[in-house]
Coordinates of all heavy atoms in Angstrom, one line a residue:
E115 N -26.4 20.4 20.1 CA -26.8 19.4 21.1 C -27.5 18.2 20.5 O -28.4 17.6 21.1 CB -27.7 20.1 22.2 CG -27.0 21.2 22.9 CD -27.9 22.0 23.8 OE1 -29.1 21.6 24.0 OE2 -27.4 23.0 24.4
G116 N -27.1 17.9 19.3 CA -27.7 16.7 18.6 C -27.3 16.8 17.1 O -26.8 17.9 16.7
P117 N -27.6 15.8 16.3 CA -27.2 15.8 14.9 C -28.0 16.9 14.1 O -29.1 17.3 14.5 CB -27.6 14.4 14.4 CG -28.5 13.9 15.4 CD -28.3 14.6 16.7
T118 N -27.4 17.4 13.1 CA -28.0 18.2 12.1 C -28.4 17.3 10.9 O -27.8 16.3 10.7 CB -27.1 19.4 11.6 OG1 -26.0 18.8 11.0 CG2 -26.8 20.3 12.8
V119 N -29.5 17.7 10.2 CA -29.9 17.0 9.0 C -30.2 18.0 7.9 O -30.7 19.1 8.2 CB -31.2 16.2 9.3 CG1 -31.7 15.4 8.1 CG2 -31.0 15.2 10.5
W120 N -29.8 17.6 6.7 CA -30.0 18.5 5.6 C -30.3 17.7 4.3 O -30.1 16.5 4.3 CB -28.8 19.4 5.3 CG -27.6 18.7 4.9 CD1 -27.2 18.3 3.6 CD2 -26.5 18.2 5.7 NE1 -26.0 17.7 3.6 CE2 -25.6 17.6 4.9 CE3 -26.2 18.3 7.1 CZ2 -24.4 17.0 5.4 CZ3 -25.1 17.7 7.6 CH2 -24.2 17.1 6.7
S121 N -30.9 18.4 3.4 CA -31.2 17.8 2.1 C -30.1 18.4 1.2 O -29.7 19.6 1.3 CB -32.6 18.1 1.6 OG -32.8 19.5 1.4
A122 N -29.6 17.6 0.2 CA -28.6 18.1 -0.7 C -29.0 17.7 -2.1 O -29.5 16.7 -2.4 CB -27.3 17.4 -0.3
V123 N -28.6 18.6 -3.0 CA -28.7 18.4 -4.4 C -27.3 18.4 -5.0 O -26.6 19.4 -4.8 CB -29.6 19.5 -5.2 CG1 -29.6 19.2 -6.7 CG2 -31.0 19.5 -4.6
I124 N -26.9 17.2 -5.5 CA -25.5 17.0 -5.9 C -25.5 17.1 -7.4 O -26.2 16.3 -8.1 CB -25.0 15.7 -5.4 CG1 -25.1 15.7 -3.8 CG2 -23.5 15.5 -5.8 CD1 -24.9 14.4 -3.2
R125 N -24.7 18.0 -8.0 CA -24.6 18.1 -9.4 C -23.2 17.6 -9.9 O -22.3 17.6 -9.2 CB -24.8 19.6 -9.9 CG -26.1 20.1 -9.5 CD -26.4 21.5 -10.0 NE -27.6 22.1 -9.4 CZ -28.8 21.8 -9.7 NH1 -29.0 20.9 -10.6 NH2 -29.8 22.3 -9.1
F126 N -23.2 17.1 -11.1 CA -22.0 16.5 -11.7 C -21.6 17.2 -13.0 O -22.3 17.7 -13.7 CB -22.4 15.0 -12.0 CG -22.7 14.2 -10.8 CD1 -24.0 14.3 -10.3 CD2 -21.8 13.4 -10.2 CE1 -24.3 13.5 -9.1 CE2 -22.1 12.7 -9.1 CZ -23.4 12.7 -8.5
N127 N -20.3 17.0 -13.2 CA -19.7 17.3 -14.5 C -19.2 16.0 -15.0 O -18.2 15.5 -14.4 CB -18.6 18.4 -14.4 CG -18.0 18.7 -15.7 OD1 -18.2 18.1 -16.7 ND2 -17.2 19.8 -15.7
V128 N -19.8 15.4 -15.9 CA -19.6 14.0 -16.3 C -19.8 13.1 -15.2 O -20.9 12.9 -14.7 CB -18.2 13.8 -17.0 CG1 -18.0 12.4 -17.6 CG2 -17.9 14.9 -18.1
D129 N -18.8 12.5 -14.6 CA -19.0 11.5 -13.5 C -18.3 12.0 -12.2 O -18.2 11.2 -11.2 CB -18.4 10.1 -13.9 CG -16.9 10.2 -14.2 OD1 -16.4 11.3 -14.3 OD2 -16.3 9.1 -14.3
K130 N -18.0 13.3 -12.1 CA -17.5 13.8 -10.8 C -18.4 14.9 -10.3 O -19.1 15.6 -11.0 CB -16.1 14.4 -11.1 CG -15.1 13.3 -11.5 CD -13.7 13.9 -11.5 CE -12.7 12.7 -11.8 NZ -11.3 13.2 -11.5
I131 N -18.4 15.1 -9.0 CA -19.2 16.1 -8.3 C -18.6 17.5 -8.5 O -17.5 17.7 -8.3 CB -19.3 15.8 -6.8 CG1 -20.0 14.4 -6.6 CG2 -20.0 16.9 -6.1 CD1 -19.9 13.9 -5.1
S132 N -19.5 18.4 -9.0 CA -19.1 19.8 -9.3 C -19.7 20.8 -8.3 O -19.2 21.8 -8.1 CB -19.4 20.1 -10.7 OG -20.8 20.1 -11.0

Side-chain angles (χ1 to χ4, degrees):
E115 300 175 7
T118 60
V119 178
W120 66 86
S121 61
V123 176
I124 304 163
R125 298 184 191 286
F126 297 81
N127 183 348
V128 186
D129 60 348
K130 293 188 176 195
I131 297 172
S132 61

